[in-house]
Amino acid sequence: MSNTPGITITGASGRMGQMLIGQVSANDRVHLVGALERAGHPWVGQDVGVAMGGAALGVIVTDDPQAAIAPALSSTLPRPRPRWHLRRLLHRRARFM
């Protein structure tokens, strides 16, 4: 797993989707983890890089939103710190009373 945030692109075959995939792939601060397309689209089941006419990127286009988005959610989300949030909430509450 990478230490950079994972990005999922919806509408991967469209002009905006392809531009975003190219930008994410070229950026070292984020990485591509998912590509989503409508059910029945010819790209579904193919590597997104190959489908775009380039090199394989290791991300398979899917028509399942949950499967496409789950890797992005689990990549590098910060874990909540309940005590910190509680202290912050109490501090703000005390400030406005």
Side-chain angles (χ1 to χ4, degrees):
M1 176 160 51
S2 175
N3 288 332
T4 58
I7 304 290
T8 295
I9 305 295
T10 61
S13 69
R15 287 181 295 189
M16 181 66 73
Q18 290 186 43
M19 186 274 304
L20 289 171
I21 289 168
Q23 293 296 314
V24 168
S25 299
N27 193 325
D28 60 346
R29 294 173 55 184
V30 295
H31 66 282
L32 186 65
V33 295
L36 183 64
E37 197 45 74
R38 64 177 166 77
H41 193 277
W43 284 23
V44 173
Q46 295 184 43
D47 183 280
V48 70
V50 173
M52 288 174 50
L57 297 176
V59 175
I60 303 299
V61 180
T62 184
D63 58 1
D64 179 11
Q66 189 171 7
I69 295 170
L73 293 176
S74 64
S75 64
T76 57
L77 286 179
R79 301 292 178 244
R81 295 180 283 178
R83 288 186 204 147
W84 179 83
H85 291 292
L86 181 59
R87 281 195 304 254
R88 184 174 178 190
L89 178 67
L90 292 174
H91 174 73
R92 285 186 178 189
R93 183 173 174 215
R95 238 177 55 189
F96 293 107
M97 292 188 123

